[in-house]
């Protein structure tokens, strides 16, 4: 059985990969260097943009570029209405490094009396971190190629 966690990770990876599509087509997004490098952020712009790209399918609760905080609202996959996830991303530094990123994921399942905390599959937060880091590298490469 495919769980909500699996679906979210697949969707996050799909969004990250599809966002780096080739040239052409009216729907492609141009990555503009000033947007990434000079936007008033207190954290790494590549990690920031990649985090927003990766989690773009989830409703956002709080976004603060100065502190590098992205908090999502609870997300319920329509295919699995008895589970929901919430993701918090913290971009901790201006460097484009793995230790500049921290992801926390929370899962709840519906039960008697409402939503109850439930364990995640091992490595869920790490897989989301990996998807964000991969997307950040793609954005950086695209910016360098456009120079």
């Amino acid at each position: 059985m495919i769980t909500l966690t699996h679906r979210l990770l697949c969707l996050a990876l799909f969004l990250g990969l599809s966002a780096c599509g080739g040239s052409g087509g009216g729907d492609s997004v141009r990555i503009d260097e000033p947007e990434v490098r000079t936007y008033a952020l207190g954290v790494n712009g590549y990690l920031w943009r990649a985090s927003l790209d990766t989690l773009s399918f989830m409703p956002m609760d709080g976004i603060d570029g100065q502190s590098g905080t992205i908090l999502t609202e609870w997300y319920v996959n329509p295919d699995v209405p008895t589970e929901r996830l919430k993701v918090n991303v913290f971009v901790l530094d201006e460097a484009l490094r793995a230790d500049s990123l921290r992801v926390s994921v929370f899962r709840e399942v519906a039960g008697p009396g409402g939503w109850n905390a439930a364990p995640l599959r091992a490595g869920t937060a790490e897989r989301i971190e990996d998807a964000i880091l991969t997307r950040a590298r793609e954005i950086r490469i695209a910016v360098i190629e456009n120079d």
Side-chain angles (χ1 to χ4, degrees), residues 37-120:
R37 290 192 185 162
T38 64
Y39 184 75
L41 293 175
V43 296
N44 183 276
Y46 299 115
L47 289 174
W48 178 254
R49 172 98 180 258
S51 298
L52 291 172
D53 285 358
T54 302
L55 299 176
S56 64
F57 67 96
M58 298 182 81
M60 298 294 163
D61 187 32
I63 300 173
D64 182 1
Q66 278 301 133
S67 68
T69 304
I70 300 171
L71 308 174
T72 71
E73 294 179 5
W74 287 102
Y75 172 79
V76 178
N77 182 331
D79 294 335
V80 189
T82 59
E83 289 185 323
R84 65 183 187 175
L85 290 180
K86 179 178 179 56
V87 178
N88 295 339
V89 174
F90 303 97
V91 181
L92 305 170
D93 198 335
E94 293 183 5
L96 178 52
R97 297 189 320 241
D99 63 351
S100 296
L101 183 67
R102 187 176 70 221
V103 174
S104 301
V105 183
F106 307 91
R107 177 177 175 255
E108 291 185 343
V109 294
W115 293 99
N116 302 301
L120 288 170

